[in-house]
Amino acid sequence: MAHPSQPQQYRGRAMRHRQSPLVEGFGLGKDFLARICGSLPQLFVCRALTVTGVVGGTELANQLAGPSGNDPLPALFGYLGIRGECTSKPFEEVIETRIQALCAEPADGGILLRNLQLLGREAGLGELETLLLFLRIASRLDGTLHAAIRPLLLDCIDTVMRLNLDILLGVEAGTSESLLDPKAPLARSGLLVARRSIGSPLEARLEIPQGLMAGLLSPLESAAEAISRLVPRAPKGSLERSDFAHIDQDVRMLQQLLGKAIEDRRVGVNVLLHGPPGVGKTELADVLARALGASLFVIPAFADGDTQDPMERLRQYRMAQGLIQSAGRSLVLLDEVEDLFPYAPWDRKDIPSKALMNDTLESNLSPALWLSNRISHMDPAYLRRFDLILEIKPPGRELRKALLCRSLPELRDNEPWLTEAVADRRISPATLVRFGRSVASMKPASAPEAAACFSHMSRQFLSALGGATETLGSGRLATGDFDLSWLNPDADLGRVASRIRSVPGARILLHGPPGTGKTRFAHHLGQLRGVMVRAKSASDLLSPYVGETEANLRQMFDEAAREGDLLLLDEADSFLSARLGGQPRWQSTQTNELLTCMERFEGVFVCTTNRLDQLDPAVMRRFDLKVGFAAPTPDQRARMVAWLFSQFRLPWDQATQATLGPRSGRLSGLVPGDIATAARKLRLVSDAPSAQDVLQALEEECAYRSGNARPIGFVY
């Protein structure tokens, strides 16, 4: 008997579709299959045969019997539980009689149906939704059922497929259309979602979450067991509440919001946590769950050895939201959610539609934490549906040092090394902990060996990342090759140095020729203030991409403010040049951004430049103090040369000083930077340089800097 609503052309196409030889139960034993699915698949097969008729029954029987050459119908009747004299009646009558007999008994769906009924109660599903879900899963377990319903659900439009589903379920026409509505309980539970397509198999047109079927093949005793089997819990983290002291206010706000949402059972509470990888977003979620006494369930991005596509993750999430209501106080965690919010409305089936995502963000029953490394690509329509959006920033230097010392406590007393070890912000807290544990597992014999191992691992890691290594410059003055008395400024540096200890903030511009001590004096101010110097240059900040340079400038100021560092911008004329009419727009934007950040910054900010005349006039008034550095006086040059002689244990007597007189003209441009360069050069070329060697090295440095050195190559 054919369903009256089914067009004849689709019935004919179903009849013409040939099946491959049937493997009973897809390899599952008959007894096992009966225990899992009971006799309910027989009812679905009989209802399918009322549509496909004798031709469909014969074809199905042939697949069951195989190439034996015998009458195939007994094999089909045996599967359907039809015995005795009934088999001699007309095929249609035999099938109808069997349907009546099966409907007269309580539905026997075995372990699978009992488990689905348990899940259905938790997810708010009715009897028909549960039965449709059973049909979808049983068709993947029972090869005969799959072969019987395939002609009805393949190669037909969605309307016809759903009418045929009505026949299989034994309900009025149009019922399946309502059951599969995107806003109906079945779709909202995430347990089964209909996808519109023509020609796809049933598993592609009615999708279930990955892992659902495997979790239902053994008896479930309670809802708690179902939840533990189908929705994984997040592993316990290693961080504590105190490790997030740098965002204490944010954590308190999060705890209050989530706690109240759990108590009031508010619907649609979502929090978006974003920040660079390794800053502790996942650990923070664990800390919050423990503080609230809530279970933390996680929707993994990677499961069963493969990455889950966005739609699969969303089905898992919606299923979890429907199931965990009986688990008490609960939070749901989704990590790496960038792919759930695509860059553009790509025409891809594995990406949720905007309407689906909006509905998901508005209908979750338990509060959800969404974690992402970036949010710049997210549509504002998504962002406004989050109750709270927080950027999780890396912890301060002291907290990073504490994290490292948990794994390597023997380094706790090596303060200078610790400070430099955690200086580069690209080494995230998670990376610090991982490297620390790796070094501890090597069981180093001493603290210096542990420090050397960690430093080597860090250098290799940073080398792989590329870019300039960030240092704080804490040891820049430790070499002893600098003396304030060598400087020739136009302001009282002693007074500036004494006041820098007590002022809350200052903006200082140091200008003058190269090598006159500007950068060294900035580091000296950091030492006097008792803080680290965060030194940046144009190469650290400039980017070829629009807007990234401005973002780097903001980040530079934010990091210095968070750590309490003295911020030094070397060669600042790269950003502070005069904004002229012919200047590119992007360069003016960078200057504007820097000026804005300067005014907002409350710490000590020092800029150095060799080109005062090229600075924008608007820049000058934003500096509280402007100090010019000139070349040293003759007395200062004599003291610098005397210091360099002492470094190589050479006498600085009257005879030596007398030889300097005739050569003083060639040292008239000597600056402190030349002293440091000459010292390094002499250590490189000689173990015991003479006085003549020292003077010649100084003269050469002055000649190179003044442009009197011999040119190289064919230009000469």
Side-chain angles (χ1 to χ4, degrees):
M1 293 181 294
H3 193 277
S5 304
Q6 187 182 30
Q8 180 64 40
Q9 63 267 32
Y10 290 111
R11 295 205 303 271
R13 184 182 299 180
M15 292 300 98
R16 291 193 300 270
H17 188 83
R18 303 295 300 175
Q19 301 289 333
S20 59
L22 179 64
V23 179
E24 183 180 37
F26 293 131
L28 300 177
K30 184 182 297 185
D31 294 339
F32 177 78
L33 194 60
R35 189 168 73 254
I36 295 297
C37 298
S39 61
L40 194 51
Q42 298 176 14
L43 179 59
F44 293 136
V45 172
C46 287
R47 287 172 174 165
L49 292 174
T50 64
V51 180
T52 58
V54 176
V55 176
T58 303
E59 185 173 347
L60 182 62
N62 285 328
Q63 294 181 61
L64 274 171
S68 62
N70 300 324
D71 183 7
L73 283 180
L76 175 60
F77 288 158
Y79 168 84
L80 296 175
I82 299 174
R83 301 287 187 273
E85 59 185 18
C86 292
T87 59
S88 61
K89 297 179 181 179
F91 181 81
E92 290 84 353
E93 183 178 346
V94 171
I95 297 301
E96 191 64 39
T97 301
R98 183 55 179 162
I99 291 176
Q100 294 174 4
L102 289 170
C103 291
E105 303 172 355
D108 175 19
I111 293 173
L112 178 60
L113 183 60
R114 290 192 293 273
N115 288 345
L116 286 174
Q117 289 170 339
L118 180 63
L119 287 183
R121 287 193 293 269
E122 294 301 314
L125 302 183
E127 179 181 353
L128 289 179
E129 287 95 344
T130 303
L131 198 61
L132 179 54
L133 190 55
F134 175 92
L135 172 61
R136 165 63 177 83
I137 297 175
S139 68
R140 292 297 298 157
L141 299 172
D142 189 326
T144 303
L145 173 60
H146 185 272
I149 67 176
R150 193 166 185 258
L152 305 182
L153 306 178
L154 186 70
D155 291 342
C156 60
I157 62 175
D158 292 308
T159 302
V160 173
M161 184 201 75
R162 296 181 188 207
L163 290 172
N164 286 333
L165 282 177
D166 293 334
I167 297 174
L168 296 175
L169 297 175
V171 296
E172 295 181 357
T175 302
S176 295
E177 186 75 30
S178 301
L179 294 178
L180 296 175
D181 187 275
K183 296 183 178 180
L186 193 56
R188 297 184 73 87
S189 72
L191 292 172
L192 187 145
V193 177
R195 299 291 294 270
R196 296 187 177 274
S197 61
I198 297 178
S200 299
L202 180 63
E203 53 268 23
R205 304 183 84 166
L206 299 178
E207 297 180 338
I208 60 175
Q210 186 176 351
L212 175 63
M213 182 170 65
L216 299 175
L217 298 184
S218 58
L220 294 171
E221 301 298 332
S222 64
E225 184 180 356
I227 293 170
S228 64
R229 190 182 296 180
L230 297 175
V231 187
R233 293 177 185 260
K236 187 179 183 303
S238 59
L239 300 186
E240 301 296 334
R241 175 70 174 77
S242 59
D243 294 317
F244 295 94
H246 61 295
I247 53 171
D248 183 69
Q249 183 178 355
D250 292 339
V251 175
R252 286 202 307 269
M253 187 186 309
L254 272 171
Q255 191 169 331
Q256 293 170 358
L257 172 67
L258 296 174
K260 192 64 176 174
I262 292 174
E263 292 172 6
D264 297 344
R265 303 183 69 85
R266 282 181 54 200
V267 175
V269 175
N270 294 277
V271 172
L272 176 60
L273 304 180
H274 66 98
V279 295
K281 301 185 291 293
T282 307
E283 292 277 0
L284 177 58
D286 173 71
V287 167
L288 289 168
R290 281 185 277 146
L292 295 170
S295 300
L296 182 62
F297 296 95
V298 62
I299 310 301
F302 187 84
D304 296 333
D306 195 10
T307 302
Q308 299 194 88
D309 64 59
M311 280 302 302
E312 177 59 38
R313 291 191 70 196
L314 201 60
R315 284 193 293 272
Q316 293 276 0
Y317 169 73
R318 293 173 75 97
M319 179 184 72
Q321 285 285 357
L323 295 181
I324 65 175
Q325 297 311 300
S326 61
R329 299 170 65 87
S330 303
L331 297 172
V332 182
L333 170 66
L334 294 101
D335 204 352
E336 310 289 348
V337 301
E338 291 88 345
D339 57 347
L340 293 176
F341 303 96
Y343 289 106
W346 296 326
D347 185 18
R348 285 173 46 188
K349 294 182 179 180
D350 63 338
I351 292 179
S353 67
K354 190 172 183 178
L356 179 59
M357 282 304 307
N358 289 342
D359 179 73
T360 301
L361 290 169
E362 293 173 349
S363 61
N364 52 299
L365 301 176
S366 295
L369 295 164
W370 303 68
L371 276 54
S372 178
N373 296 332
R374 63 181 186 276
I375 62 171
S376 58
H377 66 288
M378 291 178 61
D379 193 306
Y382 296 140
L383 295 177
R384 70 179 181 84
R385 284 173 166 80
F386 287 96
D387 296 79
L388 187 60
I389 300 175
L390 290 178
E391 180 182 4
I392 307 302
K393 297 181 178 179
R397 189 177 302 117
E398 295 304 317
L399 284 175
R400 294 203 299 273
K401 288 192 285 189
L403 286 174
L404 180 56
C405 288
R406 287 183 190 173
S407 302
L408 300 172
E410 62 269 28
L411 300 177
R412 196 179 303 275
D413 297 330
N414 193 347
E415 183 65 25
W417 180 87
L418 278 174
T419 301
E420 287 297 334
V422 303
D424 199 306
R425 62 184 172 85
R426 292 175 296 171
I427 304 179
S428 67
T431 305
L432 281 174
V433 172
R434 184 168 60 253
F435 285 178
R437 289 174 178 169
S438 297
V439 173
S441 68
M442 301 175 192
K443 300 186 182 304
S446 62
E449 183 179 345
C453 289
F454 183 91
S455 297
H456 181 72
M457 294 173 69
S458 299
R459 285 193 299 270
Q460 294 299 317
F461 173 73
L462 294 172
S463 175
L465 292 182
T469 301
E470 296 182 8
T471 61
L472 295 174
S474 58
R476 293 285 294 272
L477 297 176
T479 58
D481 56 354
F482 179 72
D483 189 334
L484 277 179
S485 66
W486 300 351
L487 305 183
N488 186 19
D490 59 7
D492 187 347
L493 295 186
R495 178 176 295 182
V496 174
S498 63
R499 293 292 300 162
I500 202 66
R501 294 186 176 94
S502 57
V503 295
R507 289 171 290 191
I508 302 173
L509 175 63
L510 307 180
H511 61 89
T516 50
K518 303 181 296 296
T519 302
R520 293 300 182 89
F521 180 67
H523 283 273
H524 179 66
L525 293 180
Q527 285 191 334
L528 292 176
R529 194 172 172 84
V531 298
M532 305 304 296
V533 176
R534 185 173 293 273
K536 296 288 185 177
S537 62
S539 61
D540 300 322
L541 302 169
L542 289 173
S543 170
Y545 301 108
V546 175
E548 281 198 5
T549 299
E550 291 84 345
N552 292 338
L553 288 169
R554 288 192 299 272
Q555 185 179 47
M556 173 184 73
F557 280 95
D558 290 344
E559 290 174 353
R562 184 172 62 249
E563 303 284 3
D565 296 335
L566 184 149
L567 180 57
L568 169 62
L569 180 58
D570 226 345
E571 309 298 341
D573 45 88
S574 300
F575 299 100
L576 299 178
S577 298
R579 291 167 288 183
L580 304 176
Q583 188 181 46
R585 182 178 177 183
W586 56 264
Q587 192 169 349
S588 297
T589 303
Q590 294 170 8
T591 302
N592 294 337
E593 183 65 37
L594 180 57
L595 295 179
T596 302
C597 293
M598 282 176 58
E599 293 188 343
R600 193 173 61 241
F601 185 59
E602 297 180 354
V604 176
F605 177 50
V606 180
C607 284
T608 69
T609 180
N610 304 329
R611 302 174 178 179
L612 182 66
D613 58 318
Q614 296 187 11
L615 298 191
D616 193 295
V619 170
M620 304 303 292
R621 63 179 179 82
R622 285 176 167 83
F623 286 101
D624 308 318
L625 179 65
K626 294 169 276 288
V627 181
F629 286 72
T633 65
D635 288 342
Q636 289 175 318
R637 293 199 297 270
R639 287 198 297 272
M640 289 191 292
V641 175
W643 177 87
L644 188 57
F645 270 63
S646 67
Q647 295 301 297
F648 295 101
R649 303 183 184 279
L650 296 173
W652 182 249
D653 49 24
Q654 291 184 352
T656 304
Q657 296 178 38
T659 62
L660 180 62
R663 311 173 72 163
S664 58
R666 282 173 283 180
L667 298 178
S668 59
L670 190 67
V671 294
D674 295 334
I675 298 295
T677 304
R680 292 194 298 270
K681 176 182 178 180
L682 290 167
R683 294 188 184 102
L684 180 64
V685 300
S686 176
D687 292 332
S690 64
Q692 180 65 25
D693 294 333
V694 173
L695 292 175
Q696 183 176 349
L698 292 173
E699 290 173 356
E700 289 175 353
E701 291 305 318
C702 290
Y704 273 110
R705 197 164 41 77
S706 63
N708 294 327
R710 169 178 168 165
I712 62 173
F714 62 85
V715 178
Y716 180 66

